[in-house]
Amino acid sequence: LTACSSNEKKEEKFTSEADLYTAAEEQLEHEQWEVAIKNLQKLEEHFPFGAYAEQGQLELIYAYYNYGKPDEAIATANRFIRLHPQHRNVDYAYYMMGLSSFTKDKGMFERAMPTDMTKRDPGAARESLANFTQLLNRFPESPYAADAKKRMLFLRNALARYEIHVANYYFKRQAYVAAISRGRYVIENYPQAPATPDALAVMVQGYHLLGMQDRSKEVLEVLRTNYPNFPALNKNGEFNYDYAFENHERNL
C-alpha cells in the first residue's frame, strides 16, 4: 500500500497538465482513440480549471465520436454546452451532437456496408435533425452551418421516406385512415422532399379505398398537376388504383 501510494504521488508530481494535453493531441493525430480518451479524462479529472480544460473537453467529444461511442460524445457535448454556454467554440459542441446522433444507430457492419436508413427506427434521425436545427438557430454563421444544412436535408428526406414505408405497412393491414395520415404528415412537415409525390399517391389510394372519391380526386389533381410522370399515372393522367397491388402487395 505504501509503495502504491508513493507511485501515485510520483506520477501526479511529474505529469503536468501540458504533458497530458500534448500526449492526448498526439494520440488523436495517430487515431489512438482509446488511450487519447483516457488521457483527456485524466486531464478533466486532475485539472478541471486548467488552461487546457475547455479545449480538452471539446477534444474528448471528438475522440468519443471517432471511437464509435456516440452516446458518450453526446453526453460530453451536452455537459460542455451546459457548463460553457458562451464559449467561442460552443457551436462545435452542437455540431458534434448532431453528427453523433446522425450515426449512433449504425453498427460496425452498417458503417462498412450501408443499409437503407429509411427503414430503421427514426429516433436517432429526429434527434440529429433537432440538434442541427439548434446549431443553425443559434449560430447561423458557424463554419459548421453549411455541412449541417446538407445533413438536415438528407435527414428530412430520409424521415419523409420512412413515413411512406409506414404508410405501406398500414396499407397491408388495411388501415387506410392511418396510411392517409402518414401521407398528410409528409406533405405538411417535409414539403419538397422526394417522397412528396408518393405521399400524395398514398392519400389518393387511401381515400379511394375508403370510398371517399371526392377527396381522392382532389388530391389526384394535385398529384397530376405537379408530378405528371408519376409511375401510377397512365399517359392520360389517370391513376392506376391497381398499381399498388401488383405482385399481391398493398404498397406504393
Side-chain angles (χ1 to χ4, degrees):
L1 288 173
T2 302
C4 290
S5 176
S6 175
N7 287 338
E8 287 177 2
K9 289 180 180 178
K10 183 176 181 181
E11 183 181 351
E12 289 180 9
K13 180 179 179 181
F14 292 102
T15 302
S16 69
E17 179 187 12
D19 290 336
L20 275 173
Y21 182 76
T22 301
E25 284 288 287
E26 291 177 356
Q27 289 145 7
L28 290 173
E29 186 177 348
H30 291 89
E31 300 184 1
Q32 298 172 335
W33 311 119
E34 186 174 11
V35 67
I37 288 170
K38 289 179 180 177
N39 279 326
L40 290 167
Q41 288 173 333
K42 286 181 182 178
L43 181 69
E44 187 174 8
E45 179 182 351
H46 296 295
F47 306 98
F49 305 108
Y52 299 96
E54 294 174 1
Q55 186 59 34
Q57 292 169 19
L58 292 172
E59 302 285 9
L60 185 57
I61 299 169
Y62 176 76
Y64 274 134
Y65 170 75
N66 283 284
Y67 191 48
K69 300 286 186 180
D71 288 324
E72 288 83 348
I74 293 168
T76 305
N78 258 317
R79 187 171 71 250
F80 183 89
I81 292 168
R82 187 173 65 253
L83 294 175
H84 313 288
Q86 303 303 322
H87 192 277
R88 64 185 181 281
N89 293 324
V90 72
D91 59 331
Y92 176 77
Y94 279 104
Y95 173 72
M96 289 303 295
M97 281 176 60
L99 199 59
S100 297
S101 301
F102 189 83
T103 58
K104 80 174 186 176
D105 62 344
K106 289 185 178 181
M108 178 182 67
F109 293 107
E110 287 179 304
R111 284 192 289 269
M113 302 175 64
T115 59
D116 186 356
M117 72 170 288
T118 67
K119 295 182 179 180
R120 298 201 302 265
D121 188 313
R126 289 184 177 128
E127 180 183 338
S128 180
L129 184 60
N131 289 331
F132 284 134
T133 300
Q134 272 193 304
L135 168 66
L136 292 180
N137 287 342
R138 292 199 59 187
F139 307 99
E141 303 301 322
S142 169
Y144 310 106
D147 184 70
K149 287 177 182 177
K150 292 178 182 178
R151 293 180 186 275
M152 287 174 68
L153 179 60
F154 172 82
L155 288 166
R156 286 194 180 102
N157 292 342
L159 288 169
R161 178 58 54 192
Y162 172 81
E163 296 296 328
I164 301 302
H165 287 311
V166 175
N168 287 333
Y169 169 80
Y170 284 134
F171 272 125
K172 292 175 182 178
R173 296 281 181 172
Q174 301 184 30
Y176 304 132
V177 173
I180 291 169
S181 296
R182 293 293 181 161
R184 185 184 300 111
Y185 184 87
V186 172
I187 301 300
E188 294 174 350
N189 293 277
Y190 306 113
Q192 307 305 316
T196 296
D198 296 296
L200 290 168
V202 162
M203 295 176 70
V204 171
Q205 186 80 344
Y207 282 128
H208 173 74
L209 292 171
L210 286 174
M212 301 174 67
Q213 303 308 329
D214 289 342
R215 296 297 302 274
S216 181
K217 290 177 181 178
E218 287 176 7
V219 182
L220 174 57
E221 186 59 33
V222 176
L223 176 65
R224 184 187 295 123
T225 301
N226 292 279
Y227 305 97
N229 297 319
F230 188 74
L233 296 174
N234 64 23
K235 60 182 180 180
N236 297 319
E238 298 169 335
F239 193 87
N240 179 7
Y241 294 101
D242 295 326
Y243 180 84
F245 298 95
E246 292 180 0
N247 300 321
H248 307 287
E249 291 187 2
R250 293 173 177 266
N251 65 69
L252 287 162

